[in-house]
Amino acid sequence: MTEVKSLRLASRVGQIQPSPTMAVMAEAMRLKAEGVDVVDFSAGQPDFPTPEHIKLSGEKAIADNFTRYTPNAGMPELRQAVADRYRMDYGLDFGGSNVIITSGGKHALLNLMLALVDPGDEVVIPTPYWGTFSEQVSLAGGEAVFVATSEDDGFRMTADVIEPALTERTRILLINFPANPTGAVIGDEEIRAIGDLIEDRDAFFLWDDTYARLMFEPAPGAAFQYVQQKLGERFMIAGTASKAYAMTGWRIGWTMASETIIKACGSLQSQMTSNACSISQKAALTALKSDQAPLAEMVAEYLWRAKRLREGLLEIPHLRCGMPGGGFYLFPNVSHYLRPNETTTELSAELLDEVRVAVVPGTAFGCDGHLRISFACSRQLIEEGIRRVKRFFAARADS
Ligand code: PLP
């Protein structure tokens, strides 16, 4: 195709950065496709296949010709099933009309940013943070306000950390819990304190609970109930079937909020994507309604891997690494090994080049000096990865 020389793209394209995590994943996949023996620690997705009973529902949906449009906001049974799941798991008070089914968790978040954020509005985001948060705020014309959590405190977000960042213009406080990339969770008391902080302000509390069903300890349901009671319609959730049910490719997520906000999201969605995939909706319905036992098995395996990988990494001198409270990432501090003026972007490129281990640099999460290492891969790869990473840092120490 002949390229138009001076093609002008809309200015909003220049305002956002493409996802760096997806770029690393794509590079690792490209190398693997070329037959290179890569240990891929960059994956932001479960290595488990989608559980059999969920896949069968998708197959049945196709066989039954359930392949047409559904209502824009999703199948009513699925909207209700999402609300029921949150009632069962956390005691939260949402009904089906408080739910819109989206094409994945990213879309669930984008719906809210577009529905609530105007130019000049601020969205408070604790760091290290998942890059999509700030890019979506920019896309909506708002401003991301970052508040740094401390490594010494396990990257835990507290009311004290957040308070100075709140202003008249704060529209949303976005809490991702457990967090990508740190796996940090927040204690019961802190969640309540954060809810109290927001209570008298004209701001929303948005919980991105993408990794909440992959927690290594019981979720603080009572604290979230407290926040919901305090904030009422200003408490919102963006969720997804992607990580918990190993369904990243099916693209099902959900936004939960007041009916007014859900209707606003519906208007936006009706002109952008319409309903999420009908077949995937059937599969997600099964995922949410069926026995949650496969989830517990996956969580037990993630916990084993987290401990083993951390133990292996901690054998590297000067490397620090906390234990995540959930999810499938470690976020070790490797700053001791950075050369003058070097960032983890260069270090991780070298890691891939020299020992064929793919990780995501901390720079992608607004926190240089760290690497995000995913343990969503087999035990065997974890052992091989530990060997290679050790070799890499030993060589750096000698150089
Ligand atoms: N939120 C967080 C913190 C994530 O890490 C991700 C995916 O990596 C998502 C939301 C979106 O998930 P998806 O759009 O794949 O459902």
Side-chain angles (χ1 to χ4, degrees):
M1 194 173 69
T2 7
E3 294 272 332
V4 182
K5 262 207 186 117
S6 56
L7 176 70
R8 184 177 63 82
L9 295 172
S11 57
R12 78 178 62 86
V13 179
Q15 278 163 20
I16 57 164
Q17 297 290 328
S19 162
T21 35
M22 290 195 132
V24 180
M25 258 171 69
E27 177 60 6
M29 276 159 81
R30 189 189 65 78
L31 287 170
K32 279 194 270 185
E34 280 178 5
V36 179
D37 167 30
V38 175
V39 172
D40 190 359
F41 281 157
S42 73
Q45 60 180 338
D47 55 317
F48 300 108
T50 306
E52 215 51 44
H53 65 295
I54 298 176
K55 287 197 289 196
L56 283 175
S57 291
E59 284 174 23
K60 183 166 182 323
I62 297 174
D64 291 349
N65 294 314
F66 193 76
T67 51
R68 300 196 167 92
Y69 295 130
T70 72
N72 173 54
M75 289 157 45
E77 315 85 285
L78 180 56
R79 296 173 74 191
Q80 189 58 47
V82 171
D84 292 345
R85 189 77 263 152
Y86 281 75
R87 192 177 299 276
M88 278 186 274
D89 292 352
Y90 311 121
L92 291 174
D93 182 21
F94 288 108
S97 57
N98 299 119
V99 178
I100 181 168
I101 305 301
T102 60
S103 300
K106 262 187 194 173
H107 183 202
L109 287 159
L110 184 61
N111 267 344
L112 287 174
M113 294 305 157
L114 295 182
L116 292 171
V117 175
D118 264 332
D121 287 339
E122 295 176 348
V123 177
V124 174
I125 301 170
T127 69
Y129 68 103
W130 183 53
T132 295
F133 294 148
S134 56
E135 299 305 320
Q136 290 193 345
V137 174
S138 301
L139 207 51
E143 220 174 285
V145 174
F146 300 110
V147 285
T149 59
S150 140
E151 184 183 1
D152 293 340
D153 199 19
F155 295 111
R156 249 184 295 277
M157 216 239 327
T158 65
D160 286 348
V161 168
I162 292 165
E163 189 163 19
L166 300 177
T167 72
E168 293 284 291
R169 296 196 291 158
T170 306
R171 186 69 167 146
I172 297 177
L173 167 64
L174 203 176
I175 306 292
N176 170 216
F177 168 103
N180 176 8
T182 62
V185 296
I186 317 170
D188 198 276
E189 265 181 43
E190 273 314 323
I191 294 171
R192 289 169 196 259
I194 293 163
D196 291 343
L197 199 60
I198 298 290
E199 189 183 6
D200 295 326
R201 294 172 184 271
D202 182 24
F204 292 85
F205 183 123
L206 167 57
W207 176 28
D208 175 336
D209 87 323
T210 295
Y211 300 93
R213 287 181 179 75
L214 303 179
M215 275 181 69
F216 303 144
E217 51 200 77
F224 281 113
Q225 285 165 36
Y226 173 88
V227 173
Q228 188 180 39
Q229 277 159 17
K230 274 251 147 148
L231 303 184
E233 300 198 330
R234 290 185 292 121
F235 176 66
M236 314 181 294
I237 294 178
T240 173
S242 292
K243 319 283 177 168
Y245 302 110
M247 293 180 70
T248 47
W250 298 76
R251 309 309 301 138
I252 293 291
W254 44 81
T255 308
M256 303 175 80
S258 69
E259 281 186 24
T260 312
I261 295 175
I262 293 302
K263 278 193 186 131
C265 293
S267 296
L268 290 163
Q269 187 161 305
S270 73
Q271 298 297 8
M272 294 194 299
T273 58
S274 292
N275 63 271
C277 168
S278 60
I279 300 152
S280 301
Q281 287 193 56
K282 281 281 188 187
L285 183 62
T286 299
L288 288 156
K289 285 184 86 115
S290 59
D291 178 16
Q292 303 289 292
L295 230 164
E297 282 167 33
M298 287 193 240
V299 174
E301 176 61 18
Y302 285 137
L303 178 57
W304 188 94
R305 295 175 189 176
K307 287 182 178 161
R308 174 65 197 119
L309 182 57
R310 179 169 176 265
E311 178 187 80
L313 293 177
L314 286 176
E315 284 167 18
I316 299 170
H318 308 293
L319 179 147
R320 294 198 299 273
C321 186
M323 182 67 193
F328 39 69
Y329 309 115
L330 294 185
F331 199 57
N333 184 326
V334 295
S335 52
H336 176 85
Y337 292 92
L338 287 174
R339 299 183 181 121
N341 300 322
E342 189 188 42
T343 71
T344 47
T345 306
E346 289 94 47
L347 184 139
S348 39
E350 221 172 277
L351 190 63
L352 185 57
D353 241 27
E354 288 183 6
V355 291
R356 300 301 192 195
V357 174
V359 299
V360 185
T363 43
F365 306 96
C367 187
D368 198 13
H370 292 255
L371 301 176
R372 191 191 77 175
I373 303 192
S374 164
F375 46 86
C377 58
S378 69
R379 292 185 182 203
Q380 194 192 345
L381 274 182
I382 285 175
E383 295 304 334
E384 178 57 22
I386 292 171
R387 273 192 291 277
R388 293 187 192 188
V389 172
K390 275 182 169 173
R391 190 156 26 99
F392 176 81
F393 284 110
R396 271 214 162 207
D398 290 342
S399 69

